[in-house]
Amino acid sequence: MKISGAELFTQALKREGVKHLFGFPGGVVIPIFDVLFSEPEIRVILTRHEQGAVHAADGYARSTGRTGVCLVTSGPGATNTITGLATANFDAVPIVCFTGQVARKMIGNDAFQEADIVGISRPVTKHNYLVTDRKDLAKIIKQAFTLASSGKPGPVLVDLPVDILKEEGDSHYPESVTIRGYNPVTKGHPGQIKKTAHALGQARKPLFYVGGGIHISGAADIFRKIVEKTRVPVVSSLMGIGAFPSDHPKNLGMLGMHGTYAANMAVTHTDLLFAIGTRFDDRVTGDLSKFAPEARIIHIDIDPAAIARNVPVEIPIVGDARIILEQLYTLLKSPSIEDWLKQIVKWKEEHPLTFSQDGKRLAPEAVIKTISDVFPDAIISTEVGQNQMWAALYYNFHKPRTLLTSGGLGTMGYGFPAAIGAQIGNPDRTVIDIAGDGSIQMNIQELATAALNELPVIVAILNNGYLGMVRQWQELFFNRRYSSTCLQRGVNCPPNCDQKPGQVCPPYTPDFVKLAEAYRAIGMRVTRMEDVRPALKEAGKSKTKPVLIDFIVEREANVFPMVPAGVAINKMMFDKRAQE
Amino acid sequence: MNHIISLLVENHQGVLSRIAGLFSGRGYNLASITAGVTMDPEITRITLVCEGEDDVIDQIKKQLHKLIDIIKVIDLTDVPSLHRELALIKVKAKPDQRGEIFQVSDVFRAKVMDVSMDSMVLEVTGSPEKIDAFTSIIQPYHIQEIARSGLIAVERGKKQ
Ligand SMILES: Cc1ncc(C[n+]2csc(CCOP(=O)(O)OP(=O)(O)O)c2C)c(N)n1
Ligand SMILES: [Mg+2]
């Protein structure tokens, strides 16, 4: 039977088990949207911006483990996906993004809404395709889904010229495809695994350092068994949070620039750092020459290019974290590490996470702790900045795939659409975007998407009136010169406003509560600690409406501990006020 | 140190720009790149010459390997292999200078491809060093144009 390219596209999605498609239409993709109009098995979620569509597909994918799918038009629709694709590419999120393209004979002619999206997206995708022949369409879609979800996952873009969508052709969709240049290794080398077991047995101060690879490979259970068998403590990158319960006694928390004291001290003193599914990012390592200076390093990663890139690795193991940890489990014994464990307890007691409360405005950390209390099983997405770090430090994560955050690219505006995608994929879970007042405005238009799809996503804005993380750097390293970081600054403010309290500032714009209401969402404002819990409980009751809570938090609260960029990670700064 | 990396790649559109983009995007040094189809029309061989410390070269190879369209990455630097480059050189040559140029060309086994009233075109093949040597010898006659192919390489056959 002959079918059009658009019909084949839809058949292919069904064969891939796609139930949700995040999209935004335009001229060249009308043929597909037309087929989808009468397709009951695929629900199309119309976002209000293509960036929102890609982040939503990303949040869907991170929270469910299934590939997120989006569909946008050519030209501006396609270019609007770039930030979303780059975000997903950095954090290894499986997405297949379909873009419409002008007809083949028009390509290269600067046709209306033509963009060389394959060229533009090349460095921010795992792979991409321009379909140039109707008979390749099925194979390419199959390859795109295969690539996106296997090996180190990532976004794959498929550019679809409109004439191919209209062209009648074969309806066959292949069961599987082989790609001869692509053979990701999954099983670990047995020799390396033996060496690893031996090295761990000999270590006196061993430490696990885990990253996003644990979530992606589904290794959380086996990893936990390994920690319990060996009693070796754990530190985690931002992406690794949730891989191991935050409140487990062996968990020292996040390491790096805003890592805990215990985590950073442990890394600095360990004699065996066992890294799993993580990249040794510069926000983690600080000054590389002083990172884990006494340690032999073992590194498991599915991406050979991530191994030994930033630090010398003694035992590299390429492959899938879950499979390798399973191979390793029976070989492991508990090393004698009593002194090390005692030292770790000391570090934990020396500097637990602390924050100050000035009593006037809300402490953002306290808001997050309350969120954690009221919604212990939520899926949390974050924006970027202080809100992100506080969420990572103060929410008690205990399951994998529950923290959705843009780690590698650090994309403001990610959290809210990602929460929408997560809510679509997890209709029975509570999904909360812990937001900054700056970031939320970057994709605030998706309130319409959430409202009309009746998604009870909770947006908890930690409203400090600043691009807070940048302000924090300005406070600490630029002599408190708050250049372009005050979100209340108006045209009549003094040029060198020193932002001293008591100064009369223009009213906060926008009024988030009214804005929420304009979108027919629920808006609340909370200014006092005693109102935090009731407001959250109230928000939890909403079943069909998004809830936006504007938490008016202390304006100049800082994220601590902090290690300045490029400095050794044991040189931490703490909150002076909290210590007084 | 210069490394010679031979790639077997899918003959897909855009592979060259994927490779070039990898080098420019990650700030690697690419000295030359050549491409030509193999016996299998679906596979192209690309020969790269790139420069860098060992750890950089190691990253380059790993990153190349990650490109989906690249089937095989072979570092020929330390493997017994044959390397050749071809250059076409147009030199100014008045009729009375031709004899000298013929002589020098002979030493380098360069071929004279074209002779006109006031210029000659020479073809020379060999290692890049040989071509460098030839061009510096021929330089005094004034080189008007030069086109170098970039390096191509194949592994030698096994000895036993
Ligand atoms: C798209 C984008 N632009 C700029 C930045 C740089 N940046 C990082 S954090 C930050 C401040 C974010 O402000 P807000 O959302 O209010 O969060 P806060 O730090 O105040 O919690 C900025 C501007 C970024 N990460 N992403
Ligand atoms: Mg802010």
Side-chain angles (χ1 to χ4, degrees):
Chain A
M1 196 188 65
K2 292 221 176 262
I3 59 174
S4 73
E7 282 164 324
L8 175 62
F9 171 91
T10 313
Q11 297 300 327
L13 258 53
K14 290 204 298 197
R15 290 283 298 280
E16 292 297 333
V18 176
K19 300 266 182 290
H20 302 97
L21 176 66
F22 300 91
F24 203 94
V28 295
V29 285
I30 297 175
I32 296 182
F33 279 93
D34 186 65
V35 177
L36 290 168
F37 198 54
S38 44
E39 176 49 68
E41 284 179 45
I42 299 174
R43 176 171 165 204
V44 179
I45 292 98
L46 172 68
T47 56
R48 292 301 184 266
H49 191 298
E50 290 87 352
Q51 185 186 351
V54 185
H55 289 328
D58 175 316
Y60 179 91
R62 289 194 210 217
S63 62
T64 63
R66 298 194 293 270
T67 300
V69 186
C70 30
L71 169 64
V72 302
T73 193
S74 65
T79 56
N80 270 349
T81 65
I82 294 300
T83 302
L85 294 172
T87 303
N89 196 45
F90 231 131
D91 293 344
V93 182
I95 288 179
V96 179
C97 177
F98 295 96
T99 52
Q101 182 55 280
V102 300
R104 277 170 294 176
K105 63 177 189 308
M106 309 285 280
I107 291 178
N109 285 349
D110 293 339
F112 177 64
Q113 293 196 331
E114 177 186 352
D116 172 16
I117 196 62
V118 168
I120 295 169
S121 66
R122 194 170 290 134
V124 296
T125 51
K126 180 170 175 180
H127 194 55
N128 60 17
Y129 295 92
L130 167 66
V131 184
T132 54
D133 196 328
R134 168 68 180 79
K135 70 176 182 351
D136 295 338
L137 180 60
K139 186 183 79 191
I140 287 176
I141 295 177
K142 183 76 213 178
Q143 288 186 345
F145 276 93
T146 307
L147 287 173
S149 60
S150 59
K152 178 170 187 165
V156 179
L157 180 140
V158 183
D159 201 20
L160 304 165
V162 59
D163 53 324
I164 286 183
L165 297 177
K166 292 179 187 160
E167 190 177 324
E168 299 278 316
D170 202 348
S171 64
H172 175 71
Y173 187 71
E175 206 56 53
S176 65
V177 281
T178 51
I179 304 166
R180 58 183 159 178
Y182 179 73
N183 303 293
V185 176
T186 51
K187 259 187 88 174
H189 188 284
Q192 297 294 80
I193 288 173
K194 266 202 208 115
K195 272 197 216 162
T196 299
H198 183 69
L200 199 69
Q202 285 193 320
R204 291 299 162 261
K205 303 177 194 173
L207 186 67
F208 285 115
Y209 154 37
V210 296
I214 301 256
H215 305 274
I216 295 171
S217 65
D221 288 343
I222 182 69
F223 177 66
R224 188 175 176 152
K225 277 171 66 183
I226 286 181
V227 175
E228 276 158 10
K229 185 170 181 186
T230 60
R231 302 171 306 133
V232 172
V234 182
V235 300
S236 156
S237 71
L238 175 66
M239 303 312 292
I241 289 177
F244 188 67
S246 300
D247 58 359
H248 192 288
K250 288 280 173 294
N251 197 342
L252 311 185
M254 186 163 74
L255 81 164
M257 180 175 280
H258 291 294
T260 66
Y261 177 75
N264 285 353
M265 292 305 283
V267 173
T268 306
H269 293 277
T270 177
D271 64 355
L272 181 95
L273 187 64
F274 188 162
I276 307 168
T278 189
R279 297 187 289 117
F280 292 83
D281 180 89
D282 53 277
R283 285 288 187 266
V284 158
T285 61
D287 180 352
L288 270 175
S289 67
K290 307 211 169 83
F291 180 76
E294 295 161 22
R296 307 166 72 182
I297 297 180
I298 301 170
H299 190 180
I300 299 178
D301 207 282
I302 195 139
D303 177 6
I307 297 181
R309 175 162 52 189
N310 300 337
V311 294
V313 172
E314 185 177 318
I315 310 179
I317 315 179
V318 177
D320 178 274
R322 181 182 58 76
I323 296 174
I324 293 170
L325 293 181
E326 277 165 2
Q327 288 173 275
L328 187 62
Y329 180 72
T330 49
L331 302 180
L332 288 177
K333 293 190 188 74
S334 177
S336 26
I337 52 173
E338 310 314 321
D339 292 346
W340 175 236
L341 293 178
K342 271 184 216 142
Q343 176 61 57
I344 295 232
V345 171
K346 255 195 226 148
W347 281 325
K348 276 185 145 183
E349 285 167 356
E350 241 165 77
H351 283 287
L353 282 178
T354 47
F355 58 91
S356 59
Q357 275 169 297
D358 69 358
K360 284 185 235 109
R361 289 175 56 139
L362 294 168
E365 301 91 336
V367 174
I368 292 175
K369 286 184 96 157
T370 316
I371 293 175
S372 193
D373 252 16
V374 177
F375 302 108
D377 288 312
I379 294 173
I380 301 289
S381 71
T382 78
E383 302 293 343
V384 169
Q386 295 182 313
N387 59 85
Q388 178 182 36
M389 292 299 113
W390 284 320
L393 291 171
Y394 289 96
Y395 187 90
N396 180 16
F397 293 93
H398 52 94
K399 283 207 193 95
R401 297 192 178 280
T402 51
L403 172 60
L404 319 176
T405 194
S406 171
L409 197 66
T411 310
M412 289 172 67
Y414 166 79
F416 181 40
I420 289 175
Q423 187 76 81
I424 295 273
N426 303 269
D428 302 325
R429 304 274 299 269
T430 302
V431 181
I432 305 175
D433 174 28
I434 293 182
D437 53 320
S439 305
I440 190 64
Q441 296 185 59
M442 286 210 174
N443 273 314
I444 192 92
Q445 76 287 346
E446 302 306 336
L447 269 172
T449 313
L452 289 165
N453 285 283
E454 304 194 352
L455 305 173
V457 170
I458 299 173
V459 180
I461 301 179
L462 303 177
N463 187 342
N464 51 15
Y466 281 117
L467 299 171
M469 185 56 94
V470 182
R471 186 210 56 73
Q472 174 169 344
W473 286 47
Q474 290 171 331
E475 176 184 334
L476 299 175
F477 313 119
F478 289 85
N479 212 5
R480 218 169 164 272
R481 287 158 57 84
Y482 295 164
S483 177
S484 289
T485 43
C486 177
L487 294 171
Q488 272 175 263
R489 186 175 173 80
V491 69
N492 295 319
C493 292
N496 304 315
C497 171
D498 63 0
Q499 318 276 336
K500 283 272 153 57
Q503 195 155 330
V504 185
C505 302
Y508 193 91
T509 307
D511 180 331
F512 285 116
V513 173
K514 283 191 185 150
L515 187 73
E517 285 163 359
Y519 278 104
R520 297 181 218 297
I522 298 168
M524 299 184 216
R525 179 164 294 119
V526 178
T527 56
R528 297 181 313 170
M529 197 57 219
E530 59 266 35
D531 298 334
V532 174
R533 188 176 298 264
L536 289 168
K537 288 222 159 116
E538 187 61 29
K541 287 185 200 147
S542 173
K543 293 290 170 257
T544 55
K545 279 188 179 194
V547 184
L548 183 152
I549 314 179
D550 190 17
F551 290 102
I552 307 299
V553 300
E554 201 185 312
R555 291 207 70 189
E556 295 185 66
N558 287 334
V559 183
F560 286 118
M562 176 174 190
V563 180
V567 170
I569 61 168
N570 60 339
K571 299 277 179 279
M572 283 162 274
M573 303 160 68
F574 298 95
D575 188 350
K576 290 200 194 78
R577 295 175 311 165
Q579 288 169 326
E580 275 158 14
Chain B
M1 173 181 159
N2 268 348
H3 275 243
I4 299 159
I5 296 173
S6 177
L7 307 172
L8 292 175
V9 309
E10 296 286 353
N11 187 9
H12 290 164
Q13 62 174 35
V15 260
L16 264 181
S17 69
R18 284 182 206 280
I19 294 165
L22 175 74
F23 276 78
S24 62
R26 292 186 182 266
Y28 302 144
N29 263 327
L30 183 56
S32 89
I33 179 165
T34 60
V37 74
T38 61
M39 294 304 287
D40 179 343
E42 290 182 8
I43 296 182
T44 298
R45 181 185 292 277
I46 291 180
T47 312
L48 304 173
V49 179
C50 49
E51 212 187 327
E53 302 288 319
D54 286 354
D55 55 333
V56 175
I57 297 291
D58 195 45
Q59 261 300 308
I60 291 176
K61 287 189 276 184
K62 287 171 168 177
Q63 294 292 348
L64 285 166
H65 200 77
K66 275 175 77 171
L67 294 180
I68 310 294
D69 281 338
I70 292 187
I71 303 163
K72 214 167 168 199
V73 179
I74 313 144
D75 189 344
L76 290 178
T77 315
D78 297 323
V79 176
S81 51
L82 293 162
H83 311 157
R84 286 290 177 273
E85 191 175 359
L86 181 148
L88 295 173
I89 304 167
K90 188 198 265 181
V91 287
K92 225 178 189 170
K94 302 242 171 60
D96 62 328
Q97 292 173 308
R98 281 180 201 154
E100 289 170 39
I101 296 174
F102 270 114
Q103 270 181 3
V104 182
S105 301
D106 215 35
V107 175
F108 282 85
R109 299 202 193 155
K111 280 188 255 169
V112 177
M113 305 298 290
D114 184 50
V115 179
S116 73
M117 278 312 289
D118 53 3
S119 72
M120 294 166 77
V121 177
L122 311 171
E123 176 198 304
V124 59
T125 60
S127 67
E129 294 74 30
K130 176 181 162 188
I131 293 176
D132 289 344
F134 183 64
T135 48
S136 65
I137 298 255
I138 215 86
Q139 183 73 51
Y141 298 98
H142 186 68
I143 296 176
Q144 291 179 312
E145 275 181 69
I146 181 163
R148 292 177 71 152
S149 65
L151 190 80
I152 55 170
V154 286
E155 215 172 311
R156 283 181 186 271
K158 297 273 176 295
K159 276 278 135 68
Q160 296 122 13

